[in-house]
Amino acid sequence: MIRTDKRFRLCVTLLICNLVFIWGNSLLPGEISGAISDEVREILAAVMPAGDQMPASGGLLRKAAHFTEFTWLGMCLAWLFGMLRKRKFWPLLLGVGAACVDETIQIFVPDRGPSIRDVALDSCGVLTGMILLYLGHTYFKRKVIK
């Protein structure tokens, strides 16, 4: 990937914002986090076509949110290390590390707790983001640049 100062600054800024969002949400007590999930679920239920049902609990929604935010993290890390021309395993390793930090934060927050399943889900999100960025970059190089 071509590195310019502007792209590098944008990537680092997006990466920092993503980590602040992820870890900031982990710092929220369980009651507040659950209330936010319920509010988002209600908004989605209002937007969905009539007859479609949302899950009764916000658990599935929270798992989807975890996966999505870590997918973005994987894309940012892959972009950053692509510009730095470093080995491909670093984005995955750092993404798994971020997931471990995320779950560790929850040890110290009321009504929250760590989960190995969440680390696995988050790691899959990071890997998905890396793959999506790689596929998008490959497509862009083949179709747009030629």
Side-chain angles (χ1 to χ4, degrees):
M1 295 179 191
I2 299 171
R3 177 181 170 184
T4 64
D5 286 341
K6 189 175 182 179
R7 287 180 186 169
F8 187 78
R9 282 193 305 270
L10 175 62
C11 180
V12 170
T13 301
L14 290 173
L15 181 62
I16 291 169
C17 288
N18 188 252
L19 286 171
V20 167
F21 180 79
I22 290 170
W23 293 336
N25 281 320
S26 287
L27 288 168
L28 296 175
E31 185 178 315
I32 294 172
S33 177
I36 292 170
S37 296
D38 291 342
E39 191 173 317
V40 170
R41 190 171 48 83
E42 288 175 19
I43 291 168
L44 290 175
V47 174
M48 295 196 56
D52 286 348
Q53 296 254 341
M54 290 294 293
S57 75
L60 183 62
L61 182 63
R62 283 194 295 274
K63 299 302 179 195
H66 259 264
F67 186 82
T68 303
E69 62 195 17
F70 276 89
T71 298
W72 283 107
L73 180 64
M75 292 175 80
C76 289
L77 287 169
W79 184 22
L80 176 66
F81 282 91
M83 286 189 290
L84 295 174
R85 302 203 186 284
K86 298 290 181 186
R87 299 212 183 253
K88 302 291 184 213
F89 70 90
W90 281 111
L92 182 59
L93 186 65
L94 290 174
V96 171
C100 291
V101 169
D102 182 49
E103 294 304 311
T104 302
I105 289 170
Q106 293 180 29
I107 293 172
F108 306 102
V109 178
D111 300 325
R112 301 289 293 266
S115 169
I116 295 296
R117 277 192 238 169
D118 281 351
V119 172
L121 180 70
D122 298 344
S123 300
C124 289
V126 170
L127 185 59
T128 300
M130 292 171 60
I131 291 169
L132 287 173
L133 186 80
Y134 172 77
L135 292 173
H137 183 257
T138 302
Y139 176 81
F140 182 78
K141 279 176 49 177
R142 286 185 183 161
K143 297 289 183 179
V144 177
I145 294 179
K146 286 186 177 181

